[in-house]
Structures are given as structure tokens and as C-alpha cells.
């Protein structure tokens, strides 16, 4: 991936904005540090798109783009959203990136997408990430129902969910979580309890999306076999 050129940000016709944020003086940008994910979640399109593999840019290459982003924004404070679906897919690379961020002292705050098990297994790395501006986390909680987690092949436990949020909060991070509603066998009563669980485990923000059977995903294959796919207008497959 290092062979790819950096995005031509000077060709943008509009700035990135976050209308919900109170930090209006901070500008925004995005970066992709890797592609794919090694997770096998049955509801996700990543396993079919990437074959369960994750490819990475080198930390030095990523740092080169971050320096270019800083210059593009004339050194203003920045929120950077990393699009990687599995940001801590390689702990060694993130460790090195943190060293480079510390060296350059850029005025940036990062928002990343992470797995609960990666947080639990790497508490020391999380501390280092937070110390270097990686402070906004969106954790794939998915469901507070143990059977859901097993059926979706998520590879995490309810205890991991809770421990992950504890680690983030103890390091001063913003701990957001995402949930999937409408998975097979979920009841209305169970779904209505999701926000209560989000508060219970200490999330500082939560988002709830509708289970969407993307073509190629295991969820799609299972529902197709049962004759449950009744809509094939792909523009409606937006998780909302």
C-alpha cells in the first residue's frame, strides 16, 4: 500500500465538517492506514471483501501523510478519522506509529474503530495511544447477548466488552460503542434493553444500526437459504 500516492486533498471542493461537535475551531480530515480486517463476523461485508486478510501501510508512510495533512491545514488543530475497520490489526505498527507521533508532536486527535478483544489484550498499548492523541474509540460491542456474539462469530465475550471500556475510560479516552439490532432470534424486548446495557458498561456514546445482509456476507447466505431476502434494491442497504 505504500506505493499508492497520498490523496489529492487540494482538489476537494468542500471541507469535512462535523455538525454535532462543539469544537468548531478544530478542522477535520480522514486517513486510511490499512485495508481489510482479519475478523470473521458473519454480519459484516469485510470477510468477503478482504478474504479475512488485512494489509497495512508502514508507520513511516502514514506519518508522511499526516505531516502533509498538517501542512494542508496550515498547522491548525485537527480531528483525524482513521477509516480502518480494525485499527489495532497490527500492534507492532501502531506501537511504531505512536513513537512517530510523539516525535513530531502534531496538534491532532484521532478517532479509530477497534475490536474489544484487541483493547483487552493490549492495555499498555492503549495507554500509549491515548498519550499520543488517539483518544476517540468506537468499539464493536454488537450485542449484550452472549448467544448473539457466538452466532455472529465475533470472537469476543461480554466480559471483554466491559473490560475494554474500563481500559479506555481509565486512560481518559472517549469510549463509543456500536450495536447491531435485528439479528436472527433477537426479540423486541432484548433490543429495547441495548441502550441500558450501553450505560451499564460505561460507554460515553453509542450507535445502533440495523442488521443488513450484505451480499457475500454469511448473514446474507443464511437468510437467502431461508427465503428471507425480499428486497434487492442495494441503495437501501445502508444499515439504517
Amino acid at each position: 500500500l505504500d506505493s499508492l500516492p497520498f490523496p489529492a486533498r487540494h482538489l476537494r471542493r468542500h471541507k469535512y465538517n462535523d455538525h454535532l461537535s462543539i469544537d468548531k475551531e478544530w478542522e477535520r480530515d480522514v486517513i486510511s492506514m490499512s485495508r481489510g480486517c482479519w475478523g470473521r463476523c458473519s454480519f459484516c461485508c469485510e470477510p468477503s471483501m478482504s478474504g479475512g486478510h488485512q494489509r497495512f501501510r508502514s508507520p513511516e508512510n502514514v506519518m508522511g501523510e499526516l505531516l502533509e495533512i498538517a501542512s494542508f491545514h496550515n498547522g491548525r488543530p485537527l480531528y483525524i478519522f482513521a477509516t480502518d475497520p480494525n485499527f489495532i490489526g497490527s500492534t507492532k505498527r501502531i506501537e511504531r506509529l505512536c513513537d512517530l507521533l510523539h516525535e513530531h508532536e502534531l496538534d491532532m486527535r484521532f478517532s479509530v474503530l477497534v475490536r474489544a478483544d484487541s483493547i483487552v489484550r493490549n492495555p499498555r498499548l492503549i495507554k500509549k495511544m491515548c498519550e499520543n492523541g488517539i483518544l476517540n474509540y468506537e468499539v464493536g460491542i454488537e450485542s449484550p447477548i452472549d448467544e448473539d456474539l457466538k452466532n455472529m462469530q465475533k470472537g469476543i465475550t461480554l466480559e471483554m466488552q466491559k473490560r475494554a471500556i474500563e481500559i479506555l475510560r481509565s486512560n481518559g479516552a472517549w469510549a463509543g460503542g456500536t450495536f447491531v439490532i435485528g439479528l436472527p432470534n433477537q426479540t423486541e424486548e432484548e433490543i429495547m434493553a441495548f441502550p441500558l446495557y450501553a450505560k451499564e458498561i460505561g460507554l460515553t456514546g453509542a450507535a445502533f444500526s440495523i442488521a443488513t445482509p450484505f451480499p457475500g456476507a454469511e448473514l446474507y447466505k443464511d437468510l437467502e437459504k431461508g427465503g428471507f431476502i425480499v428486497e434487492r434494491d442495494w441503495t437501501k442497504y445502508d444499515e439504517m
Side-chain angles (χ1 to χ4, degrees), residues 143-164:
S143 173
I145 305 168
D146 190 56
E147 195 63 26
D148 279 350
L149 298 177
K150 292 176 182 176
N151 290 339
M152 68 175 74
Q153 303 172 47
K154 184 67 185 180
I156 65 173
T157 64
L158 298 180
E159 187 55 40
M160 281 182 180
Q161 294 172 347
K162 297 171 184 176
R163 180 61 186 142

PDB file of all heavy atoms in Angstrom, residues 143-164:
ATOM      1  N   SER A 143     -23.665  -6.618  20.573  1.00  0.00           N
ATOM      2  CA  SER A 143     -24.836  -7.113  21.304  1.00  0.00           C
ATOM      3  C   SER A 143     -24.464  -7.460  22.745  1.00  0.00           C
ATOM      4  O   SER A 143     -23.342  -7.896  22.999  1.00  0.00           O
ATOM      5  CB  SER A 143     -25.396  -8.362  20.613  1.00  0.00           C
ATOM      6  OG  SER A 143     -26.430  -8.957  21.389  1.00  0.00           O
ATOM      7  N   PRO A 144     -25.414  -7.276  23.686  1.00  0.00           N
ATOM      8  CA  PRO A 144     -25.183  -7.691  25.067  1.00  0.00           C
ATOM      9  C   PRO A 144     -25.652  -9.119  25.315  1.00  0.00           C
ATOM     10  O   PRO A 144     -25.737  -9.561  26.461  1.00  0.00           O
ATOM     11  CB  PRO A 144     -26.032  -6.696  25.857  1.00  0.00           C
ATOM     12  CG  PRO A 144     -27.194  -6.428  24.972  1.00  0.00           C
ATOM     13  CD  PRO A 144     -26.670  -6.492  23.568  1.00  0.00           C
ATOM     14  N   ILE A 145     -25.963  -9.840  24.232  1.00  0.00           N
ATOM     15  CA  ILE A 145     -26.476 -11.207  24.332  1.00  0.00           C
ATOM     16  C   ILE A 145     -25.371 -12.178  23.930  1.00  0.00           C
ATOM     17  O   ILE A 145     -24.894 -12.148  22.785  1.00  0.00           O
ATOM     18  CB  ILE A 145     -27.713 -11.406  23.431  1.00  0.00           C
ATOM     19  CG1 ILE A 145     -28.777 -10.356  23.775  1.00  0.00           C
ATOM     20  CG2 ILE A 145     -28.263 -12.817  23.565  1.00  0.00           C
ATOM     21  CD1 ILE A 145     -29.898 -10.275  22.758  1.00  0.00           C
ATOM     22  N   ASP A 146     -24.955 -13.006  24.852  1.00  0.00           N
ATOM     23  CA  ASP A 146     -23.843 -13.922  24.606  1.00  0.00           C
ATOM     24  C   ASP A 146     -24.099 -14.815  23.397  1.00  0.00           C
ATOM     25  O   ASP A 146     -23.193 -15.076  22.593  1.00  0.00           O
ATOM     26  CB  ASP A 146     -23.602 -14.777  25.861  1.00  0.00           C
ATOM     27  CG  ASP A 146     -22.318 -15.581  25.760  1.00  0.00           C
ATOM     28  OD1 ASP A 146     -21.254 -14.976  25.538  1.00  0.00           O
ATOM     29  OD2 ASP A 146     -22.380 -16.818  25.885  1.00  0.00           O
ATOM     30  N   GLU A 147     -25.339 -15.269  23.227  1.00  0.00           N
ATOM     31  CA  GLU A 147     -25.667 -16.153  22.100  1.00  0.00           C
ATOM     32  C   GLU A 147     -25.486 -15.428  20.775  1.00  0.00           C
ATOM     33  O   GLU A 147     -25.057 -16.023  19.781  1.00  0.00           O
ATOM     34  CB  GLU A 147     -27.113 -16.643  22.237  1.00  0.00           C
ATOM     35  CG  GLU A 147     -27.447 -17.830  21.360  1.00  0.00           C
ATOM     36  CD  GLU A 147     -26.644 -19.085  21.703  1.00  0.00           C
ATOM     37  OE1 GLU A 147     -26.205 -19.214  22.869  1.00  0.00           O
ATOM     38  OE2 GLU A 147     -26.445 -19.910  20.796  1.00  0.00           O
ATOM     39  N   ASP A 148     -25.807 -14.123  20.739  1.00  0.00           N
ATOM     40  CA  ASP A 148     -25.589 -13.327  19.525  1.00  0.00           C
ATOM     41  C   ASP A 148     -24.120 -13.314  19.137  1.00  0.00           C
ATOM     42  O   ASP A 148     -23.757 -13.504  17.972  1.00  0.00           O
ATOM     43  CB  ASP A 148     -26.057 -11.877  19.734  1.00  0.00           C
ATOM     44  CG  ASP A 148     -27.548 -11.708  19.563  1.00  0.00           C
ATOM     45  OD1 ASP A 148     -28.215 -12.653  19.096  1.00  0.00           O
ATOM     46  OD2 ASP A 148     -28.057 -10.616  19.888  1.00  0.00           O
ATOM     47  N   LEU A 149     -23.265 -13.061  20.131  1.00  0.00           N
ATOM     48  CA  LEU A 149     -21.831 -12.968  19.876  1.00  0.00           C
ATOM     49  C   LEU A 149     -21.280 -14.277  19.316  1.00  0.00           C
ATOM     50  O   LEU A 149     -20.428 -14.281  18.427  1.00  0.00           O
ATOM     51  CB  LEU A 149     -21.087 -12.591  21.164  1.00  0.00           C
ATOM     52  CG  LEU A 149     -21.452 -11.242  21.782  1.00  0.00           C
ATOM     53  CD1 LEU A 149     -20.694 -11.034  23.090  1.00  0.00           C
ATOM     54  CD2 LEU A 149     -21.166 -10.096  20.818  1.00  0.00           C
ATOM     55  N   LYS A 150     -21.789 -15.386  19.825  1.00  0.00           N
ATOM     56  CA  LYS A 150     -21.344 -16.690  19.330  1.00  0.00           C
ATOM     57  C   LYS A 150     -21.853 -16.936  17.909  1.00  0.00           C
ATOM     58  O   LYS A 150     -21.104 -17.390  17.041  1.00  0.00           O
ATOM     59  CB  LYS A 150     -21.844 -17.800  20.260  1.00  0.00           C
ATOM     60  CG  LYS A 150     -21.195 -17.778  21.635  1.00  0.00           C
ATOM     61  CD  LYS A 150     -21.794 -18.833  22.556  1.00  0.00           C
ATOM     62  CE  LYS A 150     -21.164 -18.770  23.945  1.00  0.00           C
ATOM     63  NZ  LYS A 150     -21.805 -19.737  24.882  1.00  0.00           N
ATOM     64  N   ASN A 151     -23.114 -16.614  17.667  1.00  0.00           N
ATOM     65  CA  ASN A 151     -23.698 -16.851  16.347  1.00  0.00           C
ATOM     66  C   ASN A 151     -23.057 -15.989  15.265  1.00  0.00           C
ATOM     67  O   ASN A 151     -22.943 -16.414  14.112  1.00  0.00           O
ATOM     68  CB  ASN A 151     -25.208 -16.598  16.383  1.00  0.00           C
ATOM     69  CG  ASN A 151     -25.957 -17.647  17.187  1.00  0.00           C
ATOM     70  OD1 ASN A 151     -25.457 -18.752  17.392  1.00  0.00           O
ATOM     71  ND2 ASN A 151     -27.152 -17.313  17.654  1.00  0.00           N
ATOM     72  N   MET A 152     -22.662 -14.766  15.634  1.00  0.00           N
ATOM     73  CA  MET A 152     -22.070 -13.869  14.644  1.00  0.00           C
ATOM     74  C   MET A 152     -20.564 -14.060  14.497  1.00  0.00           C
ATOM     75  O   MET A 152     -19.915 -13.345  13.741  1.00  0.00           O
ATOM     76  CB  MET A 152     -22.382 -12.410  14.970  1.00  0.00           C
ATOM     77  CG  MET A 152     -21.728 -11.880  16.220  1.00  0.00           C
ATOM     78  SD  MET A 152     -22.024 -10.099  16.481  1.00  0.00           S
ATOM     79  CE  MET A 152     -23.727 -10.058  16.998  1.00  0.00           C
ATOM     80  N   GLN A 153     -20.007 -15.041  15.222  1.00  0.00           N
ATOM     81  CA  GLN A 153     -18.578 -15.354  15.140  1.00  0.00           C
ATOM     82  C   GLN A 153     -17.709 -14.145  15.462  1.00  0.00           C
ATOM     83  O   GLN A 153     -16.677 -13.910  14.834  1.00  0.00           O
ATOM     84  CB  GLN A 153     -18.232 -15.889  13.747  1.00  0.00           C
ATOM     85  CG  GLN A 153     -19.033 -17.117  13.332  1.00  0.00           C
ATOM     86  CD  GLN A 153     -18.804 -17.503  11.889  1.00  0.00           C
ATOM     87  OE1 GLN A 153     -17.663 -17.573  11.424  1.00  0.00           O
ATOM     88  NE2 GLN A 153     -19.886 -17.728  11.152  1.00  0.00           N
ATOM     89  N   LYS A 154     -18.153 -13.375  16.442  1.00  0.00           N
ATOM     90  CA  LYS A 154     -17.452 -12.137  16.791  1.00  0.00           C
ATOM     91  C   LYS A 154     -16.119 -12.399  17.479  1.00  0.00           C
ATOM     92  O   LYS A 154     -15.179 -11.602  17.357  1.00  0.00           O
ATOM     93  CB  LYS A 154     -18.353 -11.288  17.709  1.00  0.00           C
ATOM     94  CG  LYS A 154     -17.782  -9.935  18.062  1.00  0.00           C
ATOM     95  CD  LYS A 154     -17.696  -9.042  16.839  1.00  0.00           C
ATOM     96  CE  LYS A 154     -17.002  -7.726  17.154  1.00  0.00           C
ATOM     97  NZ  LYS A 154     -16.908  -6.838  15.989  1.00  0.00           N
ATOM     98  N   GLY A 155     -16.029 -13.472  18.234  1.00  0.00           N
ATOM     99  CA  GLY A 155     -14.769 -13.790  18.897  1.00  0.00           C
ATOM    100  C   GLY A 155     -14.509 -12.987  20.150  1.00  0.00           C
ATOM    101  O   GLY A 155     -13.353 -12.875  20.587  1.00  0.00           O
ATOM    102  N   ILE A 156     -15.572 -12.414  20.734  1.00  0.00           N
ATOM    103  CA  ILE A 156     -15.414 -11.687  21.987  1.00  0.00           C
ATOM    104  C   ILE A 156     -16.453 -12.181  22.993  1.00  0.00           C
ATOM    105  O   ILE A 156     -17.387 -12.895  22.631  1.00  0.00           O
ATOM    106  CB  ILE A 156     -15.562 -10.157  21.815  1.00  0.00           C
ATOM    107  CG1 ILE A 156     -16.987  -9.797  21.370  1.00  0.00           C
ATOM    108  CG2 ILE A 156     -14.535  -9.622  20.837  1.00  0.00           C
ATOM    109  CD1 ILE A 156     -17.270  -8.307  21.350  1.00  0.00           C
ATOM    110  N   THR A 157     -16.283 -11.791  24.252  1.00  0.00           N
ATOM    111  CA  THR A 157     -17.225 -12.165  25.305  1.00  0.00           C
ATOM    112  C   THR A 157     -17.792 -10.895  25.943  1.00  0.00           C
ATOM    113  O   THR A 157     -17.269  -9.793  25.739  1.00  0.00           O
ATOM    114  CB  THR A 157     -16.534 -12.993  26.397  1.00  0.00           C
ATOM    115  OG1 THR A 157     -15.532 -12.181  27.035  1.00  0.00           O
ATOM    116  CG2 THR A 157     -15.875 -14.234  25.801  1.00  0.00           C
ATOM    117  N   LEU A 158     -18.848 -11.061  26.727  1.00  0.00           N
ATOM    118  CA  LEU A 158     -19.423  -9.927  27.428  1.00  0.00           C
ATOM    119  C   LEU A 158     -18.415  -9.335  28.408  1.00  0.00           C
ATOM    120  O   LEU A 158     -18.360  -8.112  28.598  1.00  0.00           O
ATOM    121  CB  LEU A 158     -20.686 -10.365  28.186  1.00  0.00           C
ATOM    122  CG  LEU A 158     -21.831 -10.909  27.320  1.00  0.00           C
ATOM    123  CD1 LEU A 158     -23.012 -11.303  28.206  1.00  0.00           C
ATOM    124  CD2 LEU A 158     -22.268  -9.876  26.286  1.00  0.00           C
ATOM    125  N   GLU A 159     -17.615 -10.186  29.017  1.00  0.00           N
ATOM    126  CA  GLU A 159     -16.597  -9.707  29.947  1.00  0.00           C
ATOM    127  C   GLU A 159     -15.554  -8.854  29.218  1.00  0.00           C
ATOM    128  O   GLU A 159     -15.072  -7.849  29.753  1.00  0.00           O
ATOM    129  CB  GLU A 159     -15.910 -10.890  30.643  1.00  0.00           C
ATOM    130  CG  GLU A 159     -14.940 -10.502  31.753  1.00  0.00           C
ATOM    131  CD  GLU A 159     -15.577  -9.631  32.818  1.00  0.00           C
ATOM    132  OE1 GLU A 159     -16.742  -9.882  33.203  1.00  0.00           O
ATOM    133  OE2 GLU A 159     -14.910  -8.673  33.260  1.00  0.00           O
ATOM    134  N   MET A 160     -15.194  -9.246  28.001  1.00  0.00           N
ATOM    135  CA  MET A 160     -14.248  -8.456  27.201  1.00  0.00           C
ATOM    136  C   MET A 160     -14.815  -7.076  26.891  1.00  0.00           C
ATOM    137  O   MET A 160     -14.091  -6.076  26.935  1.00  0.00           O
ATOM    138  CB  MET A 160     -13.927  -9.174  25.882  1.00  0.00           C
ATOM    139  CG  MET A 160     -12.926 -10.292  25.974  1.00  0.00           C
ATOM    140  SD  MET A 160     -12.618 -10.987  24.336  1.00  0.00           S
ATOM    141  CE  MET A 160     -11.436 -12.262  24.742  1.00  0.00           C
ATOM    142  N   GLN A 161     -16.102  -7.022  26.575  1.00  0.00           N
ATOM    143  CA  GLN A 161     -16.739  -5.738  26.290  1.00  0.00           C
ATOM    144  C   GLN A 161     -16.566  -4.787  27.469  1.00  0.00           C
ATOM    145  O   GLN A 161     -16.135  -3.637  27.313  1.00  0.00           O
ATOM    146  CB  GLN A 161     -18.227  -5.932  26.008  1.00  0.00           C
ATOM    147  CG  GLN A 161     -18.553  -6.706  24.747  1.00  0.00           C
ATOM    148  CD  GLN A 161     -20.039  -7.013  24.649  1.00  0.00           C
ATOM    149  OE1 GLN A 161     -20.783  -6.867  25.619  1.00  0.00           O
ATOM    150  NE2 GLN A 161     -20.484  -7.430  23.484  1.00  0.00           N
ATOM    151  N   LYS A 162     -16.910  -5.276  28.648  1.00  0.00           N
ATOM    152  CA  LYS A 162     -16.855  -4.440  29.856  1.00  0.00           C
ATOM    153  C   LYS A 162     -15.420  -4.042  30.194  1.00  0.00           C
ATOM    154  O   LYS A 162     -15.154  -2.877  30.539  1.00  0.00           O
ATOM    155  CB  LYS A 162     -17.481  -5.193  31.029  1.00  0.00           C
ATOM    156  CG  LYS A 162     -18.959  -5.504  30.831  1.00  0.00           C
ATOM    157  CD  LYS A 162     -19.498  -6.436  31.914  1.00  0.00           C
ATOM    158  CE  LYS A 162     -20.947  -6.810  31.637  1.00  0.00           C
ATOM    159  NZ  LYS A 162     -21.480  -7.790  32.607  1.00  0.00           N
ATOM    160  N   ARG A 163     -14.500  -4.975  30.087  1.00  0.00           N
ATOM    161  CA  ARG A 163     -13.105  -4.692  30.411  1.00  0.00           C
ATOM    162  C   ARG A 163     -12.513  -3.680  29.427  1.00  0.00           C
ATOM    163  O   ARG A 163     -11.737  -2.792  29.821  1.00  0.00           O
ATOM    164  CB  ARG A 163     -12.295  -5.992  30.398  1.00  0.00           C
ATOM    165  CG  ARG A 163     -10.816  -5.818  30.721  1.00  0.00           C
ATOM    166  CD  ARG A 163     -10.612  -5.248  32.095  1.00  0.00           C
ATOM    167  NE  ARG A 163      -9.191  -4.956  32.349  1.00  0.00           N
ATOM    168  CZ  ARG A 163      -8.772  -3.898  33.014  1.00  0.00           C
ATOM    169  NH1 ARG A 163      -9.635  -3.025  33.521  1.00  0.00           N
ATOM    170  NH2 ARG A 163      -7.479  -3.686  33.202  1.00  0.00           N
ATOM    171  N   ALA A 164     -12.877  -3.797  28.159  1.00  0.00           N
ATOM    172  CA  ALA A 164     -12.361  -2.879  27.141  1.00  0.00           C
ATOM    173  C   ALA A 164     -12.761  -1.439  27.460  1.00  0.00           C
ATOM    174  O   ALA A 164     -11.936  -0.513  27.367  1.00  0.00           O
ATOM    175  CB  ALA A 164     -12.875  -3.278  25.757  1.00  0.00           C
TER     176      ALA A 164
END
